[in-house]
């Protein structure tokens, strides 16, 4: 089964569909991806798995930009292609898009864009873009774990989770910048219908920090504007091949964060995919540019904890809240009662206000301030009591701490190193190796020091 990414023309009017910020790799107009001729496949959820919970979530679009030209240094991308599990023998090179001279198609919806002088950075460095549309995300997951007829859903989820962690971490290690990521939450339970969302939006029974809004409804498009093959809908914010059969509401802009709500069943049905669910409404939170780059650490932490579904749903909960009819004006609408169906759909989900906390970015600075304010006197007291060189004491403590670093700790270290133009560290073992070279760690640790600092004798570790 495929869950192809919908055409971007459904979101904005012609001429507005290129990303205009932070580089030339925007989404230019392309023909929509349709199901293969004659194929009718069952669309059961955004991760191609049977619906077992209130909602399904997934990663449905990913774009990274690297400041290395693929045409000049293809070996730099060797690990990336290996992680994606693609074979260059099956790839095909064609004309580029969005300012790039060439586009290497690695699979359906999966490509590398490179070449061209206008795609260089302000410092003159060549760039390459990795684009994974929805279909490419699903194909990547199928390559990670092929589900047999009996299918172990638990093992599948674990395999997909590990695969996404590996891919995202590798992109960060390559100093790539995420310029877009889409995180949809699907309601296949029928709790909320597209028609109900349409009425809520029409009556403005919602609160959101996103100011810009666009809506599209097939029933609102005059028959004279329903296009034939090859026609364009100039000035009509809709999509020829899919969204004409359903309702779409889009909030926000491509400068920051966007929320797109649409009738996924209508879209898939028109593409020839059989949808067994009676209703399928998609709530898709899309992060762009700096927001996308900032979202990746949060998503990685959630994946590492096995809580990516909860995190994605919390992004939705933080983006919009639908209200019961209340007659309140726009300045007091937030005081209204949450719509009962919305509360039921997102029951137990905490609202995530994107990037209200800067801890993952600034934790190294926070740690440094804490060392100076809280730990400095303690280290002086311990060093004086032991008659030990303070540099040696710090090295010893850092070495022991390196052994206990978590993936979250490593992520924070690498964020700071990337901002300073330093190469990221690949593993905890690499950090331990670096700390083992610090001054004062050449000899054995005296038992008195080991017992005082760590509550153990050195012999206990043997």
């Amino acid at each position: 089964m495929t869950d192809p990414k919908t055409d971007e023309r459904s979101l904005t009017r012609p001429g507005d569909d290129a990303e205009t910020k932070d580089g030339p790799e925007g989404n230019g107009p392309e023909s929509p991806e349709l199901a293969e001729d004659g194929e009718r496949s069952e669309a059961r959820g955004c991760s191609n798995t049977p619906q077992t919970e209130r909602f399904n979530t997934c990663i449905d679009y990913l774009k990274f930009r690297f400041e290395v030209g693929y045409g000049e240094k293809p070996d730099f991308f060797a690990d990336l292609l290996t992680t994606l599990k693609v074979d260059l023998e099956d790839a095909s090179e064609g004309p580029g898009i969005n300012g790039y001279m060439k586009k290497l198609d690695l699979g359906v919806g999966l490509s590398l864009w490179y070449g061209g002088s206008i795609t260089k950075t302000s410092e003159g460095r060549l760039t390459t873009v990795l684009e994974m549309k929805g279909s490419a995300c699903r194909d990547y997951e199928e390559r990670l774990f092929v589900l047999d007829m009996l299918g172990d859903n638990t093992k599948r989820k674990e395999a997909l989770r590990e695969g996404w962690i590996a891919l995202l971490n590798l992109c960060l290690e390559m100093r790539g910048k995420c310029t877009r990521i889409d995180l949809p939450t699907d309601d296949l339970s029928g709790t909320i219908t597209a028609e109900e969302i349409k009425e809520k939006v029409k009556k403005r029974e919602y609160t959101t920090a996103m100011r810009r809004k666009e809506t599209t409804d097939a029933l609102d498009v005059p028959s004279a504007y329903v296009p034939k093959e090859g026609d364009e809908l100039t000035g009509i914010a809709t999509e020829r091949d899919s969204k004409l059969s359903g309702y779409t509401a889009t909030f926000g802009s491509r400068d920051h964060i966007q929320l797109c709500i649409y009738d996924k069943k209508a879209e898939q049905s028109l593409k020839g995919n059989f949808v067994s669910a009676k209703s399928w409404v998609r709530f898709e939170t899309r992060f762009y540019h700096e927001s996308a780059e900032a979202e990746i650490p949060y998503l990685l932490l959630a994946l590492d904890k096995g809580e990516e579904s909860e995190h994605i749903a919390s992004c939705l909960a933080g983006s919009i809240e639908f209200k019961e009819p209340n007659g309140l004006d726009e300045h007091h609408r937030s005081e209204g009662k949450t719509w009962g169906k919305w509360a039921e759909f997102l029951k137990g989900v905490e609202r995530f206000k994107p990037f209200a906390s800067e801890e993952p970015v600034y934790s190294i600075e926070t740690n440094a301030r804490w060392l100076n304010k809280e730990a400095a006197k303690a280290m002086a007291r311990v060093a004086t009591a032991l008659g030990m060189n303070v540099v040696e004491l710090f090295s010893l403590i850092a070495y022991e701490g390196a052994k206990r670093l978590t993936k979250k700790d490593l992520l924070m270290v690498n964020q700071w190193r990337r901002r300073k133009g330093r190469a990221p560290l690949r593993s905890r073992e690499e950090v331990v190796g670096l700390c083992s070279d610090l001054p004062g760690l050449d000899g054995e640790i005296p038992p008195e020091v080991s017992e005082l600092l760590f509550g153990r004798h050195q012999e206990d570790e043997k």
Side-chain angles (χ1 to χ4, degrees):
M1 193 217 68
T2 60
D3 182 13
K5 186 69 185 172
T6 57
D7 189 352
E8 299 300 332
R9 286 175 293 182
S10 62
L11 306 183
T12 53
R13 300 181 186 278
D16 287 342
D17 51 2
E19 292 179 34
T20 57
K21 187 177 180 182
D22 195 25
E25 75 285 2
N27 295 316
E30 294 185 53
S31 58
E33 299 176 32
L34 303 178
E36 296 179 7
D37 293 341
E39 178 183 349
R40 287 184 62 81
S41 54
E42 183 179 1
R44 296 176 294 177
C46 59
S47 293
N48 302 344
T49 56
Q51 176 66 16
T52 58
E53 302 173 354
R54 290 173 297 155
F55 44 71
N56 273 4
T57 61
C58 70
I59 299 171
D60 204 48
Y61 188 100
L62 183 67
K63 182 185 285 185
F64 265 89
R65 188 179 74 249
F66 306 95
E67 295 187 359
V68 175
Y70 178 80
E72 287 65 33
K73 295 183 179 180
D75 290 346
F76 178 81
F77 298 90
D79 289 345
L80 178 61
L81 298 181
T82 299
T83 300
L84 288 168
K85 302 183 185 298
V86 295
D87 191 340
L88 281 178
E89 293 184 1
D90 300 325
S92 60
E93 187 178 83
I97 57 176
N98 300 107
Y100 287 89
M101 298 299 294
K102 297 180 180 180
K103 179 182 177 185
L104 185 66
D105 287 313
L106 302 168
V108 178
L110 177 63
S111 59
L112 290 177
W113 311 347
Y114 56 96
S117 59
I118 66 172
T119 61
K120 293 181 180 180
T121 67
S122 57
E123 293 80 17
R125 290 191 290 270
L126 295 168
T127 63
T128 299
V129 167
L130 166 70
E131 182 188 43
M132 294 180 70
K133 296 183 179 180
S135 51
C137 293
R138 303 291 75 77
D139 287 346
Y140 174 58
E141 292 177 346
E142 290 305 313
R143 292 192 295 274
L144 290 170
F145 185 82
V146 179
L147 192 64
D148 59 25
M149 292 183 66
L150 297 178
D152 187 327
N153 209 36
T154 302
K155 290 183 179 179
R156 177 186 174 85
K157 287 183 178 180
E158 201 57 42
L160 302 192
R161 185 174 293 129
E162 292 175 0
W164 281 114
I165 290 174
L167 177 59
L168 294 174
N169 273 325
L170 177 60
C171 288
L172 294 179
E173 289 170 9
M174 295 169 65
R175 300 189 188 183
K177 290 185 177 181
C178 183
T179 59
R180 178 176 169 184
I181 184 168
D182 293 3
L183 303 176
T185 302
D186 287 346
D187 178 13
L188 293 95
S189 67
T191 302
I192 298 173
T193 66
E195 189 62 29
E196 288 174 316
I197 292 294
K198 175 182 175 180
E199 288 301 308
K200 287 290 180 183
V201 173
K202 183 178 180 180
K203 296 177 180 178
R204 296 188 62 82
E205 294 173 353
Y206 62 86
T207 56
T208 178
M210 303 178 185
R211 296 183 178 181
R212 183 178 178 182
K213 180 191 72 175
E214 287 189 7
T215 60
T216 301
D217 189 354
L219 299 179
D220 294 337
V221 180
S223 59
Y225 285 99
V226 177
K228 298 178 181 179
E229 185 67 28
D231 291 346
E232 296 292 337
L233 283 178
T234 304
I236 300 289
T238 187
E239 177 183 339
R240 182 190 63 205
D241 288 310
S242 61
K243 298 285 176 54
L244 281 177
S245 60
Y247 175 78
T248 303
T250 305
F251 303 85
S253 73
R254 295 190 175 203
D255 292 332
H256 183 39
I257 299 175
Q258 196 175 62
L259 174 64
C260 183
I261 307 173
Y262 62 95
D263 189 339
K264 186 69 174 178
K265 180 175 181 177
E267 179 227 28
Q268 288 292 297
S269 297
L270 194 60
K271 289 183 176 182
N273 294 324
F274 173 68
V275 181
S276 59
K278 292 183 179 180
S279 174
W280 183 359
V281 178
R282 170 159 289 188
F283 303 88
E284 190 164 270
T285 310
R286 296 167 173 168
F287 298 88
Y288 295 90
H289 310 302
E290 288 89 351
S291 295
E293 190 175 1
E295 162 58 20
I296 294 299
Y298 291 100
L299 179 60
L300 273 169
L301 291 177
L303 285 163
D304 189 48
K305 296 177 182 178
E307 298 175 355
E308 66 277 8
S309 184
E310 292 83 351
H311 171 71
I312 293 173
S314 73
C315 290
L316 168 61
S319 298
I320 196 168
E321 182 177 354
F322 288 98
K323 299 289 187 176
E324 294 283 2
N326 49 51
L328 297 174
D329 60 36
E330 60 180 322
H331 301 295
H332 300 87
R333 198 169 288 121
S334 61
E335 301 171 8
K337 184 179 179 181
T338 302
W339 182 32
K341 287 192 174 184
W342 188 249
E344 178 63 25
F345 176 53
L346 295 177
K347 186 176 181 180
V349 175
E350 295 184 5
R351 298 177 64 183
F352 175 66
K353 296 183 178 180
F355 328 130
S357 170
E358 297 292 344
E359 186 215 359
V361 176
Y362 296 111
S363 62
I364 297 301
E365 287 86 349
T366 301
N367 291 163
R369 287 192 293 269
W370 180 86
L371 281 173
N372 179 54
K373 184 177 180 180
E374 305 293 340
K377 291 193 295 183
M379 289 188 65
R381 290 194 297 267
V382 173
T384 303
L386 291 171
M388 189 176 183
N389 185 292
V390 175
V391 174
E392 294 178 358
L393 176 62
F394 183 88
S395 299
L396 178 59
I397 293 174
Y399 176 70
E400 287 292 321
K403 299 176 184 178
R404 305 195 299 270
L405 287 180
T406 65
K407 290 182 179 179
K408 177 180 178 180
D409 296 325
L410 189 60
L411 180 64
M412 293 178 179
V413 169
N414 282 336
Q415 276 197 308
W416 191 87
R417 290 177 67 90
R418 282 194 302 275
R419 288 195 290 120
K420 299 299 181 181
R422 299 179 183 178
L425 303 175
R426 292 179 177 271
S427 65
R428 179 173 60 186
E429 288 69 29
E430 185 175 356
V431 180
V432 172
L434 289 173
C435 289
S436 67
D437 294 332
L438 293 173
L441 294 180
D442 298 332
E444 292 187 355
I445 304 173
E448 181 186 26
V449 176
S450 182
E451 184 174 9
L452 177 61
L453 291 179
F454 313 117
R456 65 175 187 267
H457 290 288
Q458 196 172 32
E459 291 77 8
D460 295 339
E461 297 181 335
K462 298 180 179 179

